[in-house]
Structure formats: structure tokens, C-alpha cells
């Protein structure tokens, strides 16, 4: 019998994840307008008809690649929750440091600059970034503030505002600096995070009124520490003034 002709083994087709990774590398390097479907196909070793069959056009491919990258980059709620301890201020310090370092890491900086550059022409990119990357963190922080600063029923009306303020004060500054190409040394980042967490926390306590019983002792210790630091600062100012007069 005549044997059927065997098909030559073809090049294995990339998975969707691999295709999106290849596309993202080019988008990050060249921007949306500077990246062609031809270049993506060449990088992925894939026929144009296959790419179009999967995603339809370059914009859909770009959004899919960006969405995947954001999902992989964001700090999970589980990771944030793992930073909690009985010490509320120390917990906020660790959470703040984790978020800031994530934004200023290589993946965070590349995504930040890409989304900022393309959001003018495609505002839905910024909206997607907020939905995927920011909203879960805001929900977690609001829940944290309700649990730690709420009344016996867990009510804390300022929870959402406090969550947004925390991100703006602690994370927003370094992120904005990075978006404008300003570099911060690690020591400066750590100092910024510690200072802003304390600034945020003590301002929040003034707004929250009497803290929950479980936090009262700890917060009194924090306030005493702040008062001692203020006294030291005043003593240094007085000493400096005396030296100037002399």
C-alpha cells in the first residue's frame, strides 16, 4: 500500500501569553505608534493572519498585552495583608515600602511611562490601569482602616478617603517623580516612606477621633514618640539660635 505523505513538522505556535510578552517588549521599547504588527510578528515568529485572528487589530493587542503586564505587576492583596501586625504604624510602614518599591522597580517604571505616554490618545488605558492596579489596593486599605480604626461595629466613614490619601501621600510622590525621569536613591525612598506614613497616620488620627480600644495603647505610644522627637527638634533649634547670637 502506498503510505500517506507525512507532514513536515512546523514551527510550534506561541501561546497567547508568549505572544503578549513579545508584543509588550516592543511596545515598551518603541511605544504604540512606533510598533508595527509586522515587527510583532517577526519577533514572535508568527504569521500576521494568526495575530489578527487572535486580536483583530494592533490596539486590541496592545491593550491585552498591557492588561496582562499590569496583572503580573500589581502587589496582591494577600501580599499586603501579610505585612500586617499588631503594630499599626509598623504595618503601614511595610505596606508603604512594598507599594513604593513596586512602583519604582523596573517593571513598574516601564509600565508607568508607557501608560502615561499612551493615555492621552487612549484614556481607557488609564482607566484600565486604575481598575486593575489601583482599585484592589484602595479596597484593601479602606478595609484595613475600618478594622483598625473603626468603632465597635467596624464603622469608619473616612475609610475610602483615607485609602486614597495614603496612596497619594506615600506612593504618589515617588511615582510622579519617576514619571518625570527623576531618580531617587534607596535611602531617600525609605526616608520619604517613613516620613509620609507618620504624617498620614497622625493626621488621620486627628480626623478619626478616639481610636478603637485595641489600638489605644499603641497609638498613645506613637504620639508620645512624636512629642519626644518634636521636643528634641525644638532643643536643636534653640541651640542653633544661641550659636547664631553668640
Amino acid at each position: 500500500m502506498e503510505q500517506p505523505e507525512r507532514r513536515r513538522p512546523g514551527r510550534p505556535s506561541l501561546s497567547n501569553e508568549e505572544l503578549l510578552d513579545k508584543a509588550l517588549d516592543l511596545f515598551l521599547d518603541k511605544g504604540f505608534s512606533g510598533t508595527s504588527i509586522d515587527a510583532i510578528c517577526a519577533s514572535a515568529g508568527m504569521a500576521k493572519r494568526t495575530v489578527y485572528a487572535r486580536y483583530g487589530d494592533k490596539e486590541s493587542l496592545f491593550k491585552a498585552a498591557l492588561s496582562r503586564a499590569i496583572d503580573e505587576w500589581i502587589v496582591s492583596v494577600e501580599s499586603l495583608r501579610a505585612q500586617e501586625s499588631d503594630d499599626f504604624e509598623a504595618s503601614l510602614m511595610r505596606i508603604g515600602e512594598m507599594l513604593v518599591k513596586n512602583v519604582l522597580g523596573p517593571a513598574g517604571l516601564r509600565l508607568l511611562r508607557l501608560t502615561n505616554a499612551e493615555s492621552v490618545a487612549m484614556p481607557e488605558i488609564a482607566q484600565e490601569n486604575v481598575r486593575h492596579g489601583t482599585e484592589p489596593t484602595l479596597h484593601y486599605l479602606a478595609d484595613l482602616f475600618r478594622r483598625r480604626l473603626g468603632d465597635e461595629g467596624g464603622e469608619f466613614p473616612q475609610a475610602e478617603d483615607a485609602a486614597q490619601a495614603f496612596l497619594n501621600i506615600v506612593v504618589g510622590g515617588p511615582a510622579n517623580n519617576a514619571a518625570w525621569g527623576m531618580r531617587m536613591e534607596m535611602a531617600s525612598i525609605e526616608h520619604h516612606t517613613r516620613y509620609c506614613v507618620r504624617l498620614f497616620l497622625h493626621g488621620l488620627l486627628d480626623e478619626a477621633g478616639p481610636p478603637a480600644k485595641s489600638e489605644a495603647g499603641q497609638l498613645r505610644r506613637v504620639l508620645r514618640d512624636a512629642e519626644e522627637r518634636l521636643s528634641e527638634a525644638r532643643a536643636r533649634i534653640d541651640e542653633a539660635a544661641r550659636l547664631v547670637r553668640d
Side-chain angles (χ1 to χ4, degrees):
M1 291 180 61
E2 194 174 312
Q3 301 215 351
E5 182 180 355
R6 293 184 179 178
R7 297 181 61 185
R8 294 181 180 178
R11 188 170 185 173
S13 178
L14 292 180
S15 67
N16 276 336
E17 290 76 13
E18 291 171 319
L19 170 60
L20 293 177
D21 289 343
K22 296 282 188 182
L24 182 69
D25 286 340
L26 289 173
F27 286 129
L28 288 169
D29 186 40
K30 304 293 185 181
F32 178 78
S33 60
T35 301
S36 67
I37 287 289
D38 287 335
I40 294 171
C41 292
S43 176
M46 185 177 289
K48 287 175 67 174
R49 63 178 178 275
T50 304
V51 175
Y52 281 120
R54 291 185 183 183
Y55 292 101
D57 55 29
K58 186 175 78 167
E59 184 173 322
S60 297
L61 176 59
F62 172 69
K63 291 177 180 178
L66 190 59
S67 179
R68 167 176 161 76
I70 291 172
D71 285 341
E72 291 191 334
W73 164 72
I74 61 172
V75 179
S76 69
V77 169
E78 291 75 16
S79 297
L80 294 173
R81 197 180 296 276
Q83 307 309 308
E84 294 183 31
S85 68
D86 292 337
D87 188 326
F88 187 36
E89 181 172 351
S91 299
L92 290 181
M93 289 288 185
R94 288 190 291 270
I95 290 167
E97 288 174 354
M98 177 174 282
L99 292 173
V100 171
K101 288 178 180 178
N102 190 55
V103 167
L104 299 184
L109 288 177
R110 294 200 309 168
L111 283 173
L112 182 66
R113 288 165 185 163
L114 180 62
T115 53
N116 284 349
E118 306 300 340
S119 291
V120 175
M122 290 182 280
E124 63 272 20
I125 293 297
Q127 296 166 6
E128 189 74 0
N129 192 9
V130 169
R131 188 174 71 85
H132 277 293
T134 307
E135 285 187 358
T137 304
L138 286 173
H139 292 325
Y140 161 74
L141 289 171
D143 174 69
L144 173 64
F145 297 143
R146 288 190 189 95
R147 287 187 281 113
R148 295 301 184 97
L149 297 176
D151 58 23
E152 292 182 358
E155 292 296 324
F156 182 47
Q158 305 98 319
E160 287 81 6
D161 290 339
Q164 186 67 65
F166 182 87
L167 285 187
N168 290 344
I169 294 171
V170 178
V171 185
N176 289 335
N177 288 343
W180 286 100
M182 298 172 61
R183 296 180 60 86
M184 293 179 67
E185 299 296 330
M186 185 56 63
S188 297
I189 294 171
E190 293 173 352
H191 172 77
H192 165 88
T193 303
R194 289 193 300 270
Y195 179 82
C196 288
V197 166
R198 290 192 178 109
L199 181 68
F200 165 83
L201 179 59
H202 296 301
L204 180 63
L205 293 177
D206 289 342
E207 289 290 327
K213 291 182 180 179
S214 60
E215 302 291 341
Q218 173 195 321
L219 294 177
R220 281 195 294 269
R221 289 193 299 272
V222 170
L223 291 173
R224 281 199 303 270
D225 180 65
E227 290 172 353
E228 290 173 1
R229 291 174 183 270
L230 182 59
S231 297
E232 291 175 2
R234 286 173 176 166
R236 291 178 181 178
I237 292 173
D238 291 341
E239 178 64 17
R242 186 186 63 77
L243 292 174
V244 169
R245 288 196 302 270
D246 295 344

